[in-house]
Every structure is written in structure tokens, then in C-alpha cells.
Amino acid sequence: MQIRRQLLGFSGWFLVTFLAAALGARASISASSFYADLVLPTWAPPASLFGPVWTALYALMALAAFLVWRERGWRAAASALTLYLLQLGLNTLWSWLFFGWKQGGLAFADILLLLVLIVATLVAFWRIHKVAACMLLPYLAWVGFASVLNYAVWQANPGLL
């Protein structure tokens, strides 16, 4: 029975995380052509890099959430896991704001709040499962980089964003 519960929990956290990823991807269907039309800083990564990076990050995020859930269960880890779900929602919203609705300023505000929630989630995870918290570090670094990129692109493309 315990193994079945673990498998269901593992599947559930991956499903929730990749459902959020799919919802964000839906807003990004034309992202590569839109991205190609933008004035980008010289340090901007190629569009082809985003998919693989985000896939790896979402896998790490889902595994981190699962480890926290497995360590304490929903009740005892509710605040940490709620922070996780909130930041996941803001993550999804960013794709819609930036690519779907082309609102660079709102996307920038969203990503700044996302950074705060990622840090809060990381701290909450650290108190429960240190390895799970460390699994969020690449995500934090990437979103930190993405926030600087968001700002630079928004400022360089006032007519498009």
C-alpha cells in the first residue's frame, strides 16, 4: 500500500507541474516567431534553448515537491506545498502575459513576484527536505536570469510589448 501511495504522489506532483507547463506552453505556441521579431540583447539565448531548459527545470521542481510531500505529507507540509503551487501559477501566468498577451510590463511585475515566491518556497522546502530545496536552485537562477532578460526585452521593444 505504501508503494502505491508513493507512486500516486510522484505521479500527482509531476502531473500538476507539467500541466502548469502545458498551460504556459499553450500561450507560447508562437513564441519562437515572436521572439525572433524582438530586439534582443546580445546575451539573449537562442529560442531553441528554452524548451530543453524548462523541461529539465519542471522535472526538478516536480521531484522537489514530491520529496517534500513524501517527507511530511500534505497536512504537515501544506504551507510549503501551497507556496509551490502559487509560484507554479505565477510561472504559468508569465507565459500568458509575455507571449500570449504581449504585456511586457505586467510580465516583468509577475516575474519579480515569482522570484519572491520561489525564494519563499525554497526556504520552506529547506526546513523540510534540504535536497528538495537545492533542486529549486537552478530554477531560481534561471528565473533570475529570465527576469533581467524580460526587463531588457520589454524596454527594447516598446511597440511590441
Side-chain angles (χ1 to χ4, degrees):
M1 193 61 148
Q2 182 68 354
I3 291 174
R4 183 176 174 193
R5 182 178 183 272
Q6 298 293 319
L7 286 173
L8 284 172
F10 181 80
S11 300
W13 286 107
F14 270 79
L15 180 65
V16 165
T17 302
F18 279 92
L19 179 61
L23 289 171
R26 182 106 168 90
S28 306
I29 288 173
S30 62
S32 60
S33 62
F34 177 64
Y35 191 72
D37 291 340
L38 294 170
V39 175
L40 299 170
T42 56
W43 46 269
S48 61
L49 184 66
F50 290 95
V53 167
W54 275 112
T55 300
L57 292 174
Y58 281 123
L60 283 172
M61 291 161 57
L63 184 55
F66 166 70
L67 291 173
V68 168
W69 172 83
R70 187 183 71 177
E71 183 73 25
R72 298 263 175 95
W74 176 261
R75 261 192 209 125
S79 60
L81 294 171
T82 299
L83 284 169
Y84 176 81
L85 294 172
L86 288 172
Q87 68 78 30
L88 198 57
L90 280 180
N91 178 312
T92 301
L93 178 60
W94 183 89
S95 296
W96 284 96
L97 289 169
F98 193 88
F99 290 114
W101 302 321
K102 297 173 179 45
Q103 297 293 315
L106 290 175
F108 184 63
D110 174 273
I111 205 167
L112 292 179
L113 184 54
L114 176 59
L115 279 170
V116 170
L117 281 177
I118 293 169
V119 169
T121 303
L122 199 148
V123 169
F125 277 22
W126 183 264
R127 293 178 179 145
I128 296 169
H129 197 289
K130 289 178 179 31
V131 172
C134 290
M135 289 176 156
L136 296 182
L137 289 172
Y139 176 45
L140 177 63
W142 184 258
V143 173
F145 169 75
S147 66
V148 175
L149 181 60
N150 181 154
Y151 182 79
V153 172
W154 170 42
Q155 294 302 301
N157 296 276
L160 294 174
L161 290 167

